[in-house]
């Protein structure tokens, strides 16, 4: 990094916008987060009907202020970065763009303002401020666990889909239109509602045979919830295990490895482990 | 395998139909999968009422095309295999047969077309294409875990059934017909709905005593979901354990592998493991 | 055991009734199980209304036959055992008594026949036949796991009760009688329904504040389901661990224990482990 | 502790109120617990409508008796302790105060008596009597597990909130006011109800697209329940691990404990651990 005084304004802007380590950068990120939270809050409140008129008027103007600020931020991000294309087509670049455009579109298309809630995705930026590395680390661990379990998850989801397809058809055949099972897709929807133990109750079996099949589906759903849990538990345990004795110190005398972190002497030959520390 | 040129047409057919490794075999499997997906999609769509007439007409003909193609495939499979009986009475053989027969039967029996969704089971063939060994391997692991836990699962299911029987009867006695508990089987059905935390709400207790018993059943159900989860987790951990012995040291004398990390002498021949360290 | 011929009739009876190992004993147990299953089936069917009259007539007589057979069995069990009191006041003794008495009571008290379903508990006898030791072993493991986790389970249940009490009161205060929260006990019942993720939907919050509190309760319930699961998983893992290296063989030369089951030589001193085998 | 006879009355009072080890202290705690249970029971019963008039009259007076006794206890606690402020602003001090004040407030404010259920929190005192250390120990373990998983739990809750926000908005856009999704907050509430697999059914999707999205949310919810479970299981396993180092061997030279089972020399001072074996 160059000497502060010699930085161009673009470099200074880059430091403020893209870096969370400096005081200014952190302040910028916190202000941005508050703005994002406010904007999401506005969109959510706006959807409620029956509030006083001044609320909607206030929200209308507040929305425009937020959108203009977001637009300025978007332009600043493009200007201050070396490779603007890399940012524009990055995950956050697309999210930032989608966060500003709906309000402008609302001049032409009714209803598009509702998409403003995609701004919620911008909240993911929170990770940059809150001790980034730590929380991102947790996210990466989770992502790694999911990646390792890809095959397991595929088999599990595939089984759920096949099961829903078959059970949904059977329920449609058994219960029929009178019980609300008006088509096979509705049957599949009901099976997913039941298999995942959600159970809305908007549709439910009324014939004895349907209730019997439903019971089997429920017990199946109750049982196979153990599969994703078992997968995640196993992955977490696996990733936790190496930490138990991943001490890389090896004895200079006998080469013994896997000492306790607190060990001072080799547990195999008694030679001191602290020689050159 | 013989030289390609010298293969009879039956052998060539066999290679295309039964082998997923060759280019032709893979193409055949992919085409078959698309056909299966389409056929399942057709059956599901056909069950929806209120669509335009041309859709039903189109589906009627599409159904026949698919069924004839499936029939040809079925015949080709029987012709090209050495031991047709082995195929016919195999899992896939029966599924393939059940996938074609319902439409023919629909000449004689109304409603049998709905069974066409059993074609969904043919989707299991997908495993043959998608890096078979890997996914089948996961399935086998799961199957092995289930087999090992057979006794545990039996005890668990048995407890659920006994519990449902007793709780269902008590709820029938306490709540009675006014609350919808019209018979003991309905009480058992309700208990399963509640114990598995599905909770449709079509039937629910209204008396204080019934609500108290329901609360106990719910907490029980909330608690015993831990049992299948614990079983699967334990099985997964067990199958993961052999890695605890993934020590790569092999004995110079007898080649024995899988020593304890702390072993100094080969546990097979007694030769020192530390020779050249 | 004495020579077969010299057994008194009481000893012979005892062998048939109480021992599942002999051919006659096994036959007796299987017949008894079928009878129990039938009797449970009869009680369940009898509760269904709207069947043909002959069904109820048949069930009436069948019930009497079953009850008389059970009474004879009960008397035979008392006669053939040395210490009848021990049997009468044992778990199965009480269940056997409760299985027969309701029908006799029905002469005097209406409605008591419904209690006949307690016969379902007699089904627990199934464990005696199906490779007893194995399944009982699983049950004992489960019981041991539960006993070890007693303190954990107490804390967990206590937290659930306190939470239900407080959340139930808050919901009663927030939602009030109009939403169906007619009293604090109803509020507690609703909290349990929600916390266990059952969610009947017979009562549900309608005010924004109530829905907000409900959301928190649901996420809490979703989260704390992990506690019993974690407890059971941990107990199962603990009980599974000793099996990893519970080899009791110790080296005759250096006393080293914990060898792999397949070890032939001590991993500490290289001395043969197979000396006297 | 001073000689019993020489204790001032304040010291005697302190011993009775604050110490659960002495006979008098234990008696006091048990009486207090019964009183707390009774008071909670009174408040719960009072909320039920339609009981006989004498019940409400009885509860009115019982409530006053309990409150006066609690007030006396509160004053006694303040008098008998050296640093009253420490008690007053402690967790239990605040709870004790909140347990007595509502009834006095009811002279001025209607409805405040309902807050009396906060007395339920006083039930937490039960831990002091029931083999305190043991159960508190379990609670501490749980608290430690939660503290260690803070980052994981934050990421998990954050994901649930973001997901609810986005899915809730989408459902509001897709289903609209006709299906009961009257605003985005309602959509978010519905998403939480569905994601946690509670599923009241008071609001449910009716359009095919809404049902499709709901299916995805349900499967997601069914899957991510594995995350808190995995977290807790992993933490429990971790806390169970130290037992892997519960080797009771202590070095004769320096007294160091917690050696690896396979250690031959003290990992602290290098002294041989095998001296007298």
């Amino acid at each position: 990094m160059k000497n502060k005084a010699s930085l161009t304004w673009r470099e200074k802007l880059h430091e403020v916008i893209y870096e969370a380590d400096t005081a200014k950068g952190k302040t910028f990120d916190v202000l941005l987060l508050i703005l994002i939270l406010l904007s999401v809050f506005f969109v959510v409140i706006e959807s409620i009907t029956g509030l006083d008129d001044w609320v909607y008027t206030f929200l209308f103007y507040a929305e425009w202020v937020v959108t203009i600020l977001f637009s300025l931020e978007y332009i600043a991000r493009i200007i201050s970065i070396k490779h603007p294309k890399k940012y524009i087509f990055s995950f956050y670049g697309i999210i930032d763009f989608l966060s500003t455009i709906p309000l402008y579109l609302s001049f032409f298309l009714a209803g598009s303002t509702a998409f403003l809630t995609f701004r919620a995705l911008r909240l993911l930026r929170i990770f940059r401020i809150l001790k980034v590395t730590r929380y991102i680390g947790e996210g990466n661990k989770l992502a790694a666990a999911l990646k390792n379990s890809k095959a397991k998850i595929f088999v599990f989801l595939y089984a759920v889909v096949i099961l829903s397809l078959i059970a949904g058809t059977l329920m449609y055949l058994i219960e029929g239109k009178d019980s609300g099972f008006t088509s096979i897709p509705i049957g599949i929807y009901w099976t997913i509602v039941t298999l995942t133990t959600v159970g809305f109750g908007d549709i439910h079996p009324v014939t004895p045979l349907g209730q019997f099949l439903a019971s089997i589906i429920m017990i199946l759903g109750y049982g196979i919830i153990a599969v994703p849990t078992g997968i995640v538990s196993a992955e977490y345990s696996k990733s936790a295990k190496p930490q138990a004795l991943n001490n890389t110190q090896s004895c200079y005398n006998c080469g013994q490895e896997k000492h306790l972190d607190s060990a001072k002497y080799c547990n195999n030959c008694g030679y001191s482990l602290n020689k050159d520390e």
Side-chain angles (χ1 to χ4, degrees), chain A residues 60 64 101-113:
Chain A
F60 178 79
W64 273 108
I101 208 69
L103 195 61
Y104 297 118
L105 281 182
S106 67
F107 282 116
F108 313 102
L109 293 160
S112 62
T113 50

Side-chain angles (χ1 to χ4, degrees), chain A residues 21-62:
Chain A
D21 301 332
T22 63
K24 280 184 186 170
K26 205 164 181 178
T27 311
F28 174 80
D29 277 354
V30 169
L31 286 176
L32 186 57
L33 254 182
I34 292 170
L35 199 63
I36 294 169
L37 278 171
L38 272 178
S39 75
V40 169
F41 183 70
F42 291 159
V43 174
V44 168
I45 294 299
E46 205 174 9
S47 74
I48 302 173
T49 51
L51 300 175
D52 287 348
D53 275 352
W54 66 265
V55 177
Y56 299 109
T57 315
F58 170 78
L59 287 172
F60 178 79
Y61 290 111

Side-chain angles (χ1 to χ4, degrees), chain A residues 29-222:
Chain A
D29 277 354
V30 169
L31 286 176
L32 186 57
L33 254 182
I34 292 170
L35 199 63
I36 294 169
L37 278 171
L38 272 178
S39 75
V40 169
F41 183 70
F42 291 159
V43 174
V44 168
I45 294 299
E46 205 174 9
S47 74
I48 302 173
T49 51
L51 300 175
D52 287 348
D53 275 352
W54 66 265
V55 177
Y56 299 109
T57 315
F58 170 78
L59 287 172
F60 178 79
Y61 290 111
E63 198 54 67
W64 273 108
V65 170
V66 167
T67 303
I68 286 161
L69 288 173
F70 279 176
S71 305
L72 290 177
E73 181 222 345
Y74 185 67
I75 291 162
R77 277 184 190 275
I78 290 174
I79 290 173
S80 67
I81 205 167
K82 268 189 186 169
H83 307 287
K85 275 191 187 171
K86 221 172 161 182
Y87 163 69
I88 292 170
F89 296 104
S90 71
F91 176 70
Y92 281 123
I94 292 164
I95 292 293
D96 288 351
F97 180 74
L98 291 176
S99 303
T100 54
I101 208 69
L103 195 61
Y104 297 118
L105 281 182
S106 67
F107 282 116
F108 313 102
L109 293 160
S112 62
T113 50
F115 286 103
L116 286 168
T117 328
F118 281 100
R119 276 176 192 171
L121 282 176
R122 298 196 81 188
L123 285 170
L124 289 169
R125 283 180 191 283
I126 207 173
F127 287 119
R128 272 183 51 204
I129 297 175
L130 300 164
K131 267 281 183 200
V132 190
T133 45
R134 185 166 177 200
Y135 293 96
I136 291 289
E138 287 301 332
N140 286 350
K141 251 191 240 169
L142 201 68
L146 289 178
K147 206 179 160 189
N148 286 337
S149 324
K150 219 173 49 182
K152 280 198 194 75
I153 290 168
F154 179 85
V155 168
F156 172 69
L157 284 182
Y158 195 74
V160 167
V161 168
I162 294 271
L163 195 60
S164 301
L165 213 54
I166 293 170
T169 305
L170 284 177
M171 288 306 287
Y172 165 73
L173 292 174
I174 293 170
E175 287 286 331
K177 295 176 203 294
D178 295 337
S179 316
F181 293 82
T182 49
S183 65
I184 292 179
I186 289 287
I188 294 168
Y189 164 70
W190 177 87
T191 306
I192 292 174
V193 169
T194 305
L195 203 63
T196 56
T197 78
V198 171
F200 284 130
D202 52 342
I203 309 162
H204 54 83
V206 294
T207 64
L209 191 57
Q211 290 175 336
F212 181 74
L213 183 57
S215 299
I216 290 169
I217 294 170
M218 283 181 269
I219 291 176
L220 264 176
Y222 191 60

